Amino acid sequence: MSSRSRRASARDYFTGLDRNPRFADFFYTAVSTAFVSPPGDILAHSRGARAATMIEMLTAFALVTAYASSFLDFQRSSPSEDLG
């Protein structure tokens, strides 16, 4: 049997999973990764899984940055306000 004819499973994309992974395993991984703290026990093994993990971490970081910047006021003051 060639490697192309066999069906890909989650174990081909992630290491550290049980033989029959559950939804909770992937939910745990996704939530931990979204908080920019990927778990050490389930690792992305394939290029696609690593790319998806990086995209999720960058998206989460961008959302947190956008949320934090909503508390800051970056308005320019006009020259007449600077003179008093």
Side-chain angles (χ1 to χ4, degrees):
M1 177 190 272
S2 71
S3 63
R4 289 185 183 260
S5 65
R6 73 180 179 98
R7 205 172 112 202
S9 69
R11 294 174 57 104
D12 295 332
Y13 303 109
F14 292 93
T15 57
L17 291 172
D18 291 335
R19 186 165 179 81
N20 295 315
R22 297 174 301 179
F23 175 76
D25 296 329
F26 294 106
F27 185 74
Y28 161 71
T29 303
V31 170
S32 297
T33 302
F35 286 109
V36 192
S37 174
D41 53 345
I42 300 175
L43 301 171
H45 181 67
S46 70
R47 273 190 255 175
R50 286 193 302 258
T53 300
M54 284 303 298
I55 289 169
E56 185 175 3
M57 287 173 47
L58 291 172
T59 302
F61 182 73
L63 288 173
V64 167
T65 303
Y67 179 71
S69 70
S70 70
F71 294 110
L72 301 174
D73 187 18
F74 291 115
Q75 294 179 354
R76 263 187 202 192
S77 58
S78 65
S80 62
E81 291 176 0
D82 289 341
L83 297 175

